[in-house]
Amino acid sequence: MQRMIEIDSPFFLNLDELSTPADWAAVFGNDNPLALEIGCGVGDFIAKTAVDNPGINYIAIDFYNKGCDKTCRRLERLGIPNVRVVRDEARNFIVERIPKGSLCAVHINCPDPWPKKRHRKRRLVNREFAGFMREYLAPGGDFYFATDFDDYGIDVAEFMPGVEGYGNMLAPDGYRHELEGYHLSKYMMKFMAEGKRIYFVHYRKSAGGAE
C-alpha cells in the first residue's frame, strides 16, 4: 500500500476546513470566476493554464496523494497564486463543495479510460456525468474533455450532442486532435510521442441551460 504523503503547502486545502458548499471567495480572497480541473496529475496543465488566466481561480482535484503533492510543489516553485489543490473523489467533492451554476469551466484531461470492455461503465465521463456537470457550470461555462484513448474520445464526441443544454464549440467537428491555445499535459505529450492522438471535445453551456 502506498504511503500517504503529508502535504504541507499553502496551496493544499484540507477538506475538513471547507464549508458545504465552500466559500470560494473567502478561500481565494477575491470573487473571480471559478474553474475546476478534475485529475490534475502532476500539475503541469493547471500551472500553465492558471498563468495564462490570472483573473480565474482554479481548483485542481485529484485522488492520488502523490500527484496532489507534486502539483502543490510546482505551484510553490512557480509562485502561482490562483490555484488550490484538493484530494478527493470528483463527484463527491463537486456535490459537497461547489455551488451549482458557479463554474466558468471544467477541464477533464486524460481520465482513466478503463480500456477493457467490461470495465467501461467505470469511466468518469459519460452522458449522465455530462448532464450532472452542466448543473455546476454557469451559463456560458466551458466543458473540456481530452483523452488519448480512441474509443473514449469517439464515445464522448458521439453522446455529447444528445446532452441537453450544451453547444458544440468545435462544430461541425465532434472532436479535434489539436485545440489551439489549450495546453498539453506531461501525459498528453508522452502519449503523442508514442504516436497516439489526443481527442479534444469542447462544449459550452448554453445561456438558457438548466441549472
Side-chain angles (χ1 to χ4, degrees):
M1 186 174 179
Q2 188 179 36
R3 180 180 66 86
M4 289 290 289
I5 301 168
E6 183 176 348
I7 303 175
D8 180 17
S9 171
F11 293 97
F12 188 72
L13 297 178
N14 187 330
L15 289 173
D16 295 337
E17 297 174 1
L18 291 176
S19 58
T20 302
D23 183 350
W24 293 109
V27 169
F28 285 97
N30 60 61
D31 58 359
N32 289 344
L34 187 68
L36 174 69
E37 183 189 17
I38 299 174
C40 60
V42 295
D44 49 343
F45 170 84
I46 202 64
K48 295 172 187 174
T49 302
V51 167
D52 283 354
N53 301 282
I56 296 177
N57 295 329
Y58 289 91
I59 307 163
I61 182 172
D62 208 301
F63 192 73
Y64 294 101
N65 175 250
K66 189 174 182 180
C68 290
D69 182 63
K70 287 187 175 182
T71 299
C72 287
R73 300 309 165 203
R74 185 184 299 273
L75 298 172
E76 290 177 14
R77 186 170 65 253
L78 298 175
I80 300 172
N82 56 323
V83 183
R84 297 294 181 273
V85 180
V86 177
R87 181 184 179 274
D88 200 2
E89 186 277 326
R91 186 184 290 265
N92 180 68
F93 175 80
I94 292 165
V95 169
E96 293 192 354
R97 312 297 180 177
I98 302 293
K100 288 188 175 182
S102 68
L103 295 175
C104 69
V106 60
H107 301 267
I108 310 169
N109 297 318
C110 299
D112 191 333
W114 292 102
K116 292 182 180 178
K117 198 163 187 177
R118 68 179 184 273
H119 291 158
R120 287 179 185 174
K121 62 184 179 181
R122 301 182 188 178
R123 288 176 172 174
L124 173 67
V125 181
N126 53 30
R127 183 188 299 266
E128 188 272 335
F129 182 80
F132 161 80
M133 203 66 245
R134 186 195 61 228
E135 297 182 16
Y136 293 88
L137 286 167
D142 290 299
F143 180 97
Y144 293 100
F145 170 80
T147 182
D148 68 296
F149 197 78
D150 293 2
D151 173 80
Y152 204 176
I154 293 169
D155 182 47
V156 172
E158 288 182 346
F159 73 64
M160 280 300 296
V163 182
E164 186 178 354
Y166 283 111
N168 181 7
M169 301 306 294
L170 304 181
D173 302 322
Y175 60 81
R176 292 183 189 167
H177 293 306
E178 295 181 0
L179 193 58
E180 185 177 357
Y182 198 86
H183 288 291
L184 299 176
S185 70
K186 169 187 173 183
Y187 299 107
M188 290 180 190
M189 290 187 284
K190 175 179 177 290
F191 297 141
M192 291 171 70
E194 295 171 355
K196 297 180 181 179
R197 299 176 297 180
I198 304 299
Y199 290 76
F200 293 99
V201 175
H202 178 197
Y203 275 72
R204 182 167 291 165
K205 180 176 175 176
S206 59
E211 289 181 13

PDB file of all heavy atoms in Angstrom, residues 182-197:
ATOM      1  N   TYR A 182      -4.857  25.426 -26.034  1.00  0.00           N
ATOM      2  CA  TYR A 182      -5.077  24.501 -24.920  1.00  0.00           C
ATOM      3  C   TYR A 182      -3.755  23.807 -24.601  1.00  0.00           C
ATOM      4  O   TYR A 182      -3.156  23.165 -25.465  1.00  0.00           O
ATOM      5  CB  TYR A 182      -6.137  23.467 -25.299  1.00  0.00           C
ATOM      6  CG  TYR A 182      -6.763  22.749 -24.119  1.00  0.00           C
ATOM      7  CD1 TYR A 182      -7.851  23.300 -23.453  1.00  0.00           C
ATOM      8  CD2 TYR A 182      -6.289  21.517 -23.698  1.00  0.00           C
ATOM      9  CE1 TYR A 182      -8.454  22.642 -22.392  1.00  0.00           C
ATOM     10  CE2 TYR A 182      -6.876  20.849 -22.633  1.00  0.00           C
ATOM     11  CZ  TYR A 182      -7.955  21.415 -21.988  1.00  0.00           C
ATOM     12  OH  TYR A 182      -8.541  20.759 -20.923  1.00  0.00           O
ATOM     13  N   HIS A 183      -3.309  23.929 -23.360  1.00  0.00           N
ATOM     14  CA  HIS A 183      -2.000  23.383 -23.000  1.00  0.00           C
ATOM     15  C   HIS A 183      -2.015  21.855 -22.973  1.00  0.00           C
ATOM     16  O   HIS A 183      -3.015  21.233 -22.592  1.00  0.00           O
ATOM     17  CB  HIS A 183      -1.573  23.918 -21.632  1.00  0.00           C
ATOM     18  CG  HIS A 183      -1.185  25.357 -21.667  1.00  0.00           C
ATOM     19  ND1 HIS A 183      -0.050  25.815 -22.308  1.00  0.00           N
ATOM     20  CD2 HIS A 183      -1.792  26.464 -21.162  1.00  0.00           C
ATOM     21  CE1 HIS A 183       0.032  27.126 -22.185  1.00  0.00           C
ATOM     22  NE2 HIS A 183      -1.015  27.545 -21.495  1.00  0.00           N
ATOM     23  N   LEU A 184      -0.896  21.288 -23.347  1.00  0.00           N
ATOM     24  CA  LEU A 184      -0.724  19.837 -23.300  1.00  0.00           C
ATOM     25  C   LEU A 184      -0.062  19.456 -21.982  1.00  0.00           C
ATOM     26  O   LEU A 184       0.934  20.049 -21.578  1.00  0.00           O
ATOM     27  CB  LEU A 184       0.149  19.361 -24.460  1.00  0.00           C
ATOM     28  CG  LEU A 184      -0.394  19.638 -25.863  1.00  0.00           C
ATOM     29  CD1 LEU A 184       0.616  19.193 -26.910  1.00  0.00           C
ATOM     30  CD2 LEU A 184      -1.729  18.938 -26.081  1.00  0.00           C
ATOM     31  N   SER A 185      -0.617  18.459 -21.320  1.00  0.00           N
ATOM     32  CA  SER A 185      -0.026  17.972 -20.082  1.00  0.00           C
ATOM     33  C   SER A 185       1.152  17.050 -20.398  1.00  0.00           C
ATOM     34  O   SER A 185       1.358  16.623 -21.539  1.00  0.00           O
ATOM     35  CB  SER A 185      -1.057  17.208 -19.257  1.00  0.00           C
ATOM     36  OG  SER A 185      -1.371  15.972 -19.886  1.00  0.00           O
ATOM     37  N   LYS A 186       1.899  16.723 -19.362  1.00  0.00           N
ATOM     38  CA  LYS A 186       3.014  15.776 -19.486  1.00  0.00           C
ATOM     39  C   LYS A 186       2.525  14.456 -20.072  1.00  0.00           C
ATOM     40  O   LYS A 186       3.190  13.859 -20.932  1.00  0.00           O
ATOM     41  CB  LYS A 186       3.627  15.550 -18.105  1.00  0.00           C
ATOM     42  CG  LYS A 186       4.610  14.401 -18.001  1.00  0.00           C
ATOM     43  CD  LYS A 186       5.020  14.161 -16.563  1.00  0.00           C
ATOM     44  CE  LYS A 186       5.861  12.902 -16.423  1.00  0.00           C
ATOM     45  NZ  LYS A 186       6.200  12.629 -14.996  1.00  0.00           N
ATOM     46  N   TYR A 187       1.362  14.013 -19.627  1.00  0.00           N
ATOM     47  CA  TYR A 187       0.840  12.733 -20.100  1.00  0.00           C
ATOM     48  C   TYR A 187       0.422  12.813 -21.562  1.00  0.00           C
ATOM     49  O   TYR A 187       0.642  11.882 -22.327  1.00  0.00           O
ATOM     50  CB  TYR A 187      -0.329  12.312 -19.216  1.00  0.00           C
ATOM     51  CG  TYR A 187       0.077  12.128 -17.784  1.00  0.00           C
ATOM     52  CD1 TYR A 187      -0.289  13.057 -16.804  1.00  0.00           C
ATOM     53  CD2 TYR A 187       0.864  11.045 -17.391  1.00  0.00           C
ATOM     54  CE1 TYR A 187       0.110  12.895 -15.485  1.00  0.00           C
ATOM     55  CE2 TYR A 187       1.260  10.877 -16.086  1.00  0.00           C
ATOM     56  CZ  TYR A 187       0.878  11.815 -15.134  1.00  0.00           C
ATOM     57  OH  TYR A 187       1.287  11.659 -13.826  1.00  0.00           O
ATOM     58  N   MET A 188      -0.185  13.921 -21.965  1.00  0.00           N
ATOM     59  CA  MET A 188      -0.555  14.082 -23.362  1.00  0.00           C
ATOM     60  C   MET A 188       0.682  14.025 -24.256  1.00  0.00           C
ATOM     61  O   MET A 188       0.684  13.357 -25.295  1.00  0.00           O
ATOM     62  CB  MET A 188      -1.277  15.418 -23.578  1.00  0.00           C
ATOM     63  CG  MET A 188      -2.657  15.510 -22.981  1.00  0.00           C
ATOM     64  SD  MET A 188      -3.347  17.143 -23.337  1.00  0.00           S
ATOM     65  CE  MET A 188      -4.798  17.133 -22.291  1.00  0.00           C
ATOM     66  N   MET A 189       1.728  14.734 -23.858  1.00  0.00           N
ATOM     67  CA  MET A 189       2.945  14.757 -24.666  1.00  0.00           C
ATOM     68  C   MET A 189       3.602  13.381 -24.724  1.00  0.00           C
ATOM     69  O   MET A 189       4.148  12.977 -25.757  1.00  0.00           O
ATOM     70  CB  MET A 189       3.905  15.817 -24.125  1.00  0.00           C
ATOM     71  CG  MET A 189       3.409  17.241 -24.380  1.00  0.00           C
ATOM     72  SD  MET A 189       4.593  18.536 -23.945  1.00  0.00           S
ATOM     73  CE  MET A 189       4.437  18.539 -22.155  1.00  0.00           C
ATOM     74  N   LYS A 190       3.519  12.642 -23.625  1.00  0.00           N
ATOM     75  CA  LYS A 190       4.044  11.270 -23.602  1.00  0.00           C
ATOM     76  C   LYS A 190       3.281  10.391 -24.586  1.00  0.00           C
ATOM     77  O   LYS A 190       3.887   9.641 -25.363  1.00  0.00           O
ATOM     78  CB  LYS A 190       3.935  10.708 -22.183  1.00  0.00           C
ATOM     79  CG  LYS A 190       4.348   9.242 -22.040  1.00  0.00           C
ATOM     80  CD  LYS A 190       4.213   8.804 -20.592  1.00  0.00           C
ATOM     81  CE  LYS A 190       4.556   7.323 -20.408  1.00  0.00           C
ATOM     82  NZ  LYS A 190       3.552   6.440 -21.009  1.00  0.00           N
ATOM     83  N   PHE A 191       1.957  10.494 -24.546  1.00  0.00           N
ATOM     84  CA  PHE A 191       1.141   9.687 -25.449  1.00  0.00           C
ATOM     85  C   PHE A 191       1.410  10.061 -26.908  1.00  0.00           C
ATOM     86  O   PHE A 191       1.507   9.192 -27.770  1.00  0.00           O
ATOM     87  CB  PHE A 191      -0.336   9.875 -25.132  1.00  0.00           C
ATOM     88  CG  PHE A 191      -0.732   9.421 -23.753  1.00  0.00           C
ATOM     89  CD1 PHE A 191      -1.657  10.141 -23.001  1.00  0.00           C
ATOM     90  CD2 PHE A 191      -0.186   8.276 -23.195  1.00  0.00           C
ATOM     91  CE1 PHE A 191      -2.018   9.723 -21.731  1.00  0.00           C
ATOM     92  CE2 PHE A 191      -0.550   7.845 -21.924  1.00  0.00           C
ATOM     93  CZ  PHE A 191      -1.466   8.582 -21.193  1.00  0.00           C
ATOM     94  N   MET A 192       1.553  11.344 -27.174  1.00  0.00           N
ATOM     95  CA  MET A 192       1.804  11.791 -28.543  1.00  0.00           C
ATOM     96  C   MET A 192       3.164  11.299 -29.042  1.00  0.00           C
ATOM     97  O   MET A 192       3.319  10.952 -30.208  1.00  0.00           O
ATOM     98  CB  MET A 192       1.703  13.321 -28.620  1.00  0.00           C
ATOM     99  CG  MET A 192       0.278  13.838 -28.413  1.00  0.00           C
ATOM    100  SD  MET A 192       0.189  15.634 -28.246  1.00  0.00           S
ATOM    101  CE  MET A 192       0.588  16.139 -29.913  1.00  0.00           C
ATOM    102  N   ALA A 193       4.154  11.270 -28.139  1.00  0.00           N
ATOM    103  CA  ALA A 193       5.472  10.765 -28.503  1.00  0.00           C
ATOM    104  C   ALA A 193       5.421   9.279 -28.858  1.00  0.00           C
ATOM    105  O   ALA A 193       6.275   8.775 -29.599  1.00  0.00           O
ATOM    106  CB  ALA A 193       6.458  11.000 -27.367  1.00  0.00           C
ATOM    107  N   GLU A 194       4.400   8.586 -28.331  1.00  0.00           N
ATOM    108  CA  GLU A 194       4.206   7.167 -28.636  1.00  0.00           C
ATOM    109  C   GLU A 194       3.390   6.968 -29.909  1.00  0.00           C
ATOM    110  O   GLU A 194       3.085   5.840 -30.288  1.00  0.00           O
ATOM    111  CB  GLU A 194       3.496   6.482 -27.463  1.00  0.00           C
ATOM    112  CG  GLU A 194       4.316   6.447 -26.178  1.00  0.00           C
ATOM    113  CD  GLU A 194       3.506   5.960 -24.980  1.00  0.00           C
ATOM    114  OE1 GLU A 194       2.274   5.741 -25.141  1.00  0.00           O
ATOM    115  OE2 GLU A 194       4.089   5.811 -23.900  1.00  0.00           O
ATOM    116  N   GLY A 195       3.032   8.080 -30.557  1.00  0.00           N
ATOM    117  CA  GLY A 195       2.275   8.007 -31.798  1.00  0.00           C
ATOM    118  C   GLY A 195       0.773   8.038 -31.622  1.00  0.00           C
ATOM    119  O   GLY A 195       0.020   7.867 -32.596  1.00  0.00           O
ATOM    120  N   LYS A 196       0.305   8.268 -30.407  1.00  0.00           N
ATOM    121  CA  LYS A 196      -1.131   8.329 -30.160  1.00  0.00           C
ATOM    122  C   LYS A 196      -1.653   9.731 -30.472  1.00  0.00           C
ATOM    123  O   LYS A 196      -0.919  10.707 -30.456  1.00  0.00           O
ATOM    124  CB  LYS A 196      -1.429   7.982 -28.699  1.00  0.00           C
ATOM    125  CG  LYS A 196      -1.050   6.573 -28.310  1.00  0.00           C
ATOM    126  CD  LYS A 196      -1.368   6.307 -26.849  1.00  0.00           C
ATOM    127  CE  LYS A 196      -0.977   4.899 -26.437  1.00  0.00           C
ATOM    128  NZ  LYS A 196      -1.257   4.643 -24.996  1.00  0.00           N
ATOM    129  N   ARG A 197      -2.965   9.805 -30.734  1.00  0.00           N
ATOM    130  CA  ARG A 197      -3.610  11.086 -30.976  1.00  0.00           C
ATOM    131  C   ARG A 197      -4.434  11.481 -29.759  1.00  0.00           C
ATOM    132  O   ARG A 197      -4.989  10.623 -29.075  1.00  0.00           O
ATOM    133  CB  ARG A 197      -4.520  11.000 -32.202  1.00  0.00           C
ATOM    134  CG  ARG A 197      -3.788  10.662 -33.489  1.00  0.00           C
ATOM    135  CD  ARG A 197      -4.755  10.493 -34.643  1.00  0.00           C
ATOM    136  NE  ARG A 197      -5.675   9.377 -34.414  1.00  0.00           N
ATOM    137  CZ  ARG A 197      -6.621   9.005 -35.272  1.00  0.00           C
ATOM    138  NH1 ARG A 197      -6.763   9.669 -36.410  1.00  0.00           N
ATOM    139  NH2 ARG A 197      -7.413   7.987 -35.006  1.00  0.00           N
TER     140      ARG A 197
END
